[in-house]
Amino acid sequence: MTGRLPVPTERAFSSRLRDATVTARVGTWLGVCFGIAFLTGLWSHYAQELPVWLTYPTSPKWLYRVTQGVHVTAGTAAVPLLLVKLWSVYPRLFAAVPLPPTRRTILHLLERLSIAALVAAAVFQLVTGLMNSSQWYPWAFSFRSTHFAVAWVAIGSLVLHVAVKLPVIRQAFAEPVESSVPAGDRAPLSRRGLLRATWAASALAVLATAGAWVPFLRRVSVFAVRTGEGPQGVPINRSAEAAGVLDTATDPDWRLQVVHPAGTTAFSREQLLAMPQRTASLPIACVEGWSATGVWTGVALRDVLARVGVPPTDVVVGSLQTRGAFGSSLVPANVAADPQTLLALKLSGEDLDLDHGYPCRLIAPARPGVLQTKWLDLMEVQV
Ligand SMILES: Nc1nc2c(c(=O)[nH]1)N[C@H]1C(S)=C(S)[C@@H](COP(=O)(O)O)O[C@H]1N2
Ligand SMILES: [Mo]
């Protein structure tokens, strides 16, 4: 024995709870969560970076609140499932490689490689997603493009894994799950008991967080992000101070500059307030999964365009905040045409709080929160 590491063999793990009947059931729900997170994630990605051939709808106005809430909730539900799934199969790490080398050896190694990719991608997605929801970015890479790229690795290796394991999965579902601990076994739970505990852990994780977007869960969701009241009853992500706009946003010489084919027209806040005002009840729905509805009042963006003689078209809005990625956003023509797309001046009947984007912010239906640009000072008609 001298000089050898005590590497266990697969057979050294003897728990009866590790069984294909358990793994297949947990794995199925894990796959469902990843599938939902993948689709809603694609939706969110394209909502933020729309290819020219697609039109992102403005109705129903709660659309992004639901798709992104479901995205983060599916990821959260997947955490206990992934932990149990990995626990139930990790002895296979120590499975013997078929030797001497034959075709079977190659297949064995290829399958292990695909599982390594699946496990790494799945863990990466859940960890970075949860960290993003809690606004913790200890990394240097762009969260969105990396989370998007790894999603394809995760879903691709997941599909491959299911295809390879299909016979095992079928067999496992055909067998009943053992519901009591056999006499003489030291397991603390039956396999059925382990499954129930897993579902309970997953449900608890959902209940503890989903209040971030499901209003009636607010009181039970002790770990939900951003349910605390912000100014005027709506939470904020970045304050005016953090954005470095305290002075420019309170400057009496502030003007909204509208750049259009015939020139540039400046609007003061008073001029905007003198135009026909519209009120819309619209949610802020953050990629982090939280959302909150506000009652916004201001001028419809299309009315401002009409003032300068331009029909609804693509517009880029720009913020006093010039640092960072959230300082401008594209308002596609169909969004610009929606009468509920506002240059908001008020929230809950009061002047917008500085932290909500005073003197003027964009708010449009069904749009991701990151595109609801605050502290506007520029509108550029795209030609
Ligand atoms: N200029 C600017 N606008 C911004 C942001 C920002 O950091 N800077 N954050 C965006 C994000 S990520 C969200 S979710 C919403 C939050 O809006 P609220 O602070 O009014 O709740 O504003 C958006 N508009
Ligand atoms: Mo956000």
Side-chain angles (χ1 to χ4, degrees), residues 135 234-239 243 245 284-288 290 292 296 319-321 323 326-328 347 355-357 361-362 368-376:
Q135 297 198 339
V234 178
I236 57 149
N237 255 359
R238 180 162 298 126
S239 68
V245 300
I284 295 278
C286 185
V287 289
E288 293 154 14
W290 64 266
W296 311 87
S319 172
L320 293 168
Q321 176 196 13
R323 281 182 276 134
F326 302 160
S328 72
L347 174 55
D355 289 340
H356 282 307
R361 86 162 307 159
L362 181 81
V370 288
L371 304 181
Q372 312 277 33
T373 312
K374 304 199 272 191
W375 312 294
L376 294 189

Side-chain angles (χ1 to χ4, degrees), residues 36-51:
I36 293 173
F38 180 71
L39 295 176
T40 48
L42 280 189
W43 183 262
S44 177
H45 186 81
Y46 290 124
Q48 291 171 70
E49 212 155 298
L50 205 64

Side-chain angles (χ1 to χ4, degrees), residues 112-358:
R112 284 192 147 201
L113 206 64
S114 76
I115 291 192
L118 174 57
V119 172
V123 170
F124 182 88
Q125 290 303 79
L126 295 189
V127 169
T128 53
L130 285 181
M131 284 164 74
N132 185 62
S133 290
S134 43
Q135 297 198 339
W136 180 30
Y137 304 100
W139 49 68
F141 54 79
S142 146
F143 168 77
R144 183 156 58 90
S145 48
T146 315
H147 198 70
F148 177 68
V150 177
W152 290 98
V153 179
I155 213 73
S157 48
L158 176 63
V159 169
L160 183 67
H161 181 58
V162 172
V164 169
K165 293 290 185 194
L166 208 52
V168 183
I169 298 171
R170 284 212 165 130
Q171 167 86 42
F173 271 98
E175 269 176 50
V177 184
E178 160 207 282
S179 58
S180 57
V181 183
D185 197 278
R186 294 202 325 262
L189 284 172
S190 66
R191 290 172 185 160
R192 170 74 61 203
L194 174 62
L195 282 179
R196 293 213 172 113
T198 306
W199 310 146
S202 195
L204 204 65
V206 167
L207 285 179
T209 53
W213 66 282
V214 183
F216 72 87
L217 287 178
R218 213 141 263 189
R219 313 243 339 248
V220 290
S221 288
V222 286
F223 292 122
V225 290
R226 303 281 176 291
T227 47
E229 299 279 281
Q232 301 171 322
V234 178
I236 57 149
N237 255 359
R238 180 162 298 126
S239 68
E241 186 178 5
V245 300
L246 279 181
D247 293 339
T248 45
T250 51
D251 186 343
D253 290 335
W254 174 89
R255 295 289 181 276
L256 177 71
Q257 306 278 348
V258 181
V259 181
H260 52 94
T264 298
T265 311
F267 292 84
S268 68
R269 206 177 127 90
E270 290 64 41
Q271 285 171 317
L272 292 173
L273 280 165
M275 290 176 62
Q277 301 291 296
R278 302 193 198 224
T279 295
S281 168
L282 295 173
I284 295 278
C286 185
V287 289
E288 293 154 14
W290 64 266
S291 46
T293 298
V295 178
W296 311 87
T297 303
V299 211
L301 189 147
R302 57 179 297 159
D303 292 349
V304 176
L305 287 180
R307 266 302 153 94
V308 299
V310 176
T313 179
D314 290 0
V315 170
V316 169
V317 292
S319 172
L320 293 168
Q321 176 196 13
T322 45
R323 281 182 276 134
F326 302 160
S328 72
S329 67
L330 171 71
V331 184
N334 71 308
V335 179
D338 194 299
Q340 291 204 80
T341 296
L342 301 182
L343 301 178
L345 306 166
K346 297 186 173 199
L347 174 55
S348 311
E350 300 165 9
D351 281 348
L352 270 182
D353 190 276
L354 257 180
D355 289 340
H356 282 307
Y358 179 92

